[in-house]
Amino acid sequence: MVITARRSQGRGGEQNSAYGSLRFFFDFRRSAEGGRHDGLMKRFALALLVLLAASPIVLGQTRRRPAEGRQPEFPAPTIREYKPKSQLVAPQHPVPRAKFPVIDIHSHQPTPISPGDFDRVMTGMQANNLQILVNLSGSYGERLRDGVAALRASKHKDRMVLFANINFRDRIGPGFGAKAAKQLEDDIKAGAVGLKIFKDLGMFVTKADGSRLQVDDPELDPVWATCARLNVPVLIHVAEPAAFFDPLDYTNERWLELSLYPDRRHQQGVRFETLMTERNAMIKRHPNTRFILAHFGWHGNDLARAGKLLDENPNVFYDVAAVLYDFGRQPRAAHDFFVKYQDRILFGKDSYQPDEYPYYWRVFETNDEYFDYYRDYHAFWKLYGIGLPDQVLRKLYHGNALRVTPGLARGAFTD
């Protein structure tokens, strides 16, 4: 009798010990002659069971890990209390001021802004090398005109501009889109330099019949077409992070934020992928309209998906507002993405907190490792610098914004 052991190949050509041993056992059994080797078979089967029991991986099951099942002897801290101090010693290069002048394409300020408020905002802008702030909360109609007038009367000439908004509180039925487009055209003539769409569209805005107004509803086509004709961009915020729609359990990486802010929980209602599908359909239907997707389109956590969307839609751009936590946890992939798509990404911050901007400068300009993010409820992990070259930084900080938004003043940018 000849015993032949057939080698079972696992991933990378290595033998899977448990599976290979089982194959050996059955091959041996088939080669036995008419039951004359029963004693030998029994001894072999016993040895095989001992071997499998000692293996760290048995039929896909992992061995129990050290300390598994143990409970702390000390009172457990809450998730807000546990803030261990890292023992890592690494070079630190904080960046208090951006290397090149910056256009913040995604900010929110009062409209109209008072002289005192504008002075306060300017203090933070000067400290961070912010040259222009785009106030996306520009409103529409009379309020927008008052906002433009306040900026033109200010001593801070050309340092802030307004994007117009759509009045979705109006009755939404046939003819709404044409009416909104007409108001938008009036607002652009009054001095607005773009259109901002808030996340209410798709999630909360309803039509006169009570149904949800979809992002790609044809009723809105006149609005997008007007932006293309007037050569102004649309900065559009669709949905929220995908985790906000996921089950609210301890596997959700945004659990803390969702536990703190009830209005960010979307376990019920329209789904994240539905909103993405509607948004993408609307974009494809209007290839001549430039769309800046707020918050990286919520694809900062999936750069392959983010790149595919850019590849398929030359009219799409991203802003980086409020998603720094995604770039800082994948520094090599983020660096390569920003270099590859250096003409498609605009700087934006969202909430105006001057002391938070330096975290962006540090991520974009250095190769520092393992440093804090500025809001623990956004991200419990550390950040790493992605070290962008100067050419990419200039485009990110202001070059792309000037190209995408023709209404911005160019005098302060020599390159």
Side-chain angles (χ1 to χ4, degrees):
M1 179 190 69
V2 177
I3 299 176
T4 303
R6 282 189 275 177
R7 185 175 180 84
S8 173
Q9 296 297 323
R11 181 178 300 177
E14 297 180 358
Q15 184 176 6
N16 179 310
S17 60
Y19 179 66
S21 298
L22 287 173
R23 287 290 303 272
F24 182 88
F25 171 77
F26 288 117
D27 287 346
F28 181 93
R29 179 105 186 209
R30 284 196 298 268
S31 66
E33 299 177 2
R36 291 186 300 168
H37 302 281
D38 285 348
L40 179 60
M41 287 296 298
K42 289 177 181 178
R43 289 195 296 275
F44 179 82
L46 179 61
L48 177 61
L49 290 175
V50 172
L51 172 66
L52 294 178
S55 174
I57 299 178
V58 181
L59 301 180
Q61 301 300 313
T62 58
R63 178 190 293 171
R64 288 172 60 87
R65 308 310 303 163
E68 183 178 344
R70 287 196 178 195
Q71 295 299 320
E73 294 184 8
F74 311 123
T78 69
I79 192 172
R80 302 306 300 271
E81 294 171 334
Y82 186 62
K83 298 183 183 299
K85 182 179 179 180
S86 173
Q87 296 297 305
L88 178 69
V89 178
Q92 303 290 311
H93 305 95
V95 184
R97 180 179 170 86
K99 188 174 186 178
F100 304 108
V102 177
I103 297 171
D104 184 346
I105 199 72
H106 192 141
S107 188
H108 298 283
Q109 303 295 335
T111 300
I113 191 168
S114 69
D117 282 342
F118 206 168
D119 287 343
R120 174 186 57 80
V121 170
M122 279 298 302
T123 299
M125 290 178 65
Q126 299 283 38
N128 280 284
N129 202 13
L130 296 175
Q131 184 62 34
I132 299 176
L133 211 60
V134 177
N135 181 6
L136 299 178
S137 302
S139 193
Y140 47 82
E142 182 178 359
R143 183 178 169 193
L144 181 136
R145 292 192 296 274
D146 290 345
V148 171
L151 295 180
R152 289 175 175 170
S154 169
K155 61 185 178 183
H156 308 299
K157 182 175 174 57
D158 296 330
R159 302 300 295 273
M160 187 184 296
V161 296
L162 300 180
F163 271 32
N165 308 133
I166 299 296
N167 179 15
F168 284 113
R169 297 188 186 92
D170 242 350
R171 179 181 174 83
I172 301 175
F176 170 84
K179 179 182 177 182
K182 175 61 171 63
Q183 180 62 63
L184 174 62
E185 184 161 4
D186 291 344
D187 293 339
I188 298 299
K189 290 178 180 177
V193 299
L195 171 66
K196 165 64 193 298
I197 299 295
F198 293 95
K199 65 184 177 184
D200 301 57
L201 176 62
M203 295 187 70
F204 308 117
V205 177
T206 57
K207 296 191 285 188
D209 62 6
S211 62
R212 182 177 64 89
L213 180 63
Q214 296 183 187
V215 180
D216 61 343
D217 194 305
E219 185 61 42
L220 300 176
D221 284 349
V223 173
W224 318 132
T226 296
C227 290
R229 178 169 55 83
L230 298 178
N231 194 29
V232 298
V234 179
L235 197 151
I236 183 168
H237 176 167
V238 176
E240 292 281 53
F244 287 12
F245 297 80
D246 290 341
L248 190 54
D249 56 32
Y250 291 164
T251 68
N252 190 320
E253 70 176 4
R254 306 298 285 272
W255 180 91
L256 176 57
E257 181 173 2
L258 295 174
S259 72
L260 295 172
Y261 295 95
D263 61 332
R264 301 181 186 182
R265 303 169 194 165
H266 304 298
Q267 282 66 47
Q268 305 295 325
V270 63
R271 300 291 81 206
F272 178 80
E273 290 301 336
T274 298
L275 293 166
M276 297 298 99
T277 298
E278 293 174 4
R279 180 199 66 189
N280 296 349
M282 178 269 293
I283 288 170
K284 285 186 178 298
R285 203 161 66 233
H286 295 275
N288 296 322
T289 304
R290 295 188 300 279
F291 293 98
I292 305 169
L293 304 189
H295 313 296
F296 228 69
W298 301 123
H299 297 325
N301 64 318
D302 188 347
L303 294 182
R305 183 174 186 176
K308 185 173 185 290
L309 187 62
L310 293 181
D311 292 339
E312 294 177 351
N313 301 279
N315 58 326
V316 166
F317 303 83
Y318 293 131
D319 81 25
V320 300
V323 288
L324 187 68
Y325 52 78
D326 272 334
F327 311 134
R329 63 172 164 175
Q330 49 178 337
R332 291 179 293 277
H335 171 277
D336 293 347
F337 188 97
F338 275 66
V339 171
K340 180 178 180 179
Y341 296 103
Q342 60 186 268
D343 297 319
R344 311 287 291 279
I345 308 172
L346 288 68
F347 178 81
K349 168 67 174 65
D350 201 352
S351 64
Y352 185 74
Q353 301 290 337
D355 61 328
E356 293 177 349
Y357 282 91
Y359 291 86
Y360 285 80
W361 316 146
R362 189 176 184 185
V363 168
F364 292 143
E365 298 181 23
T366 80
N367 289 304
D368 280 1
E369 297 183 302
Y370 202 76
F371 54 93
D372 287 335
Y373 181 66
Y374 55 85
R375 295 185 188 179
D376 62 353
Y377 63 81
H378 271 181
F380 54 85
W381 51 86
K382 303 294 185 178
L383 302 182
Y384 296 78
I386 68 176
L388 296 176
D390 287 356
Q391 173 185 333
V392 177
L393 285 173
R394 287 190 177 95
K395 292 179 178 180
L396 170 65
Y397 284 173
H398 61 257
N400 292 336
L402 291 173
R403 181 166 51 88
V404 174
T405 314
L408 298 175
R410 285 162 160 69
F413 306 97
T414 57
D415 57 346

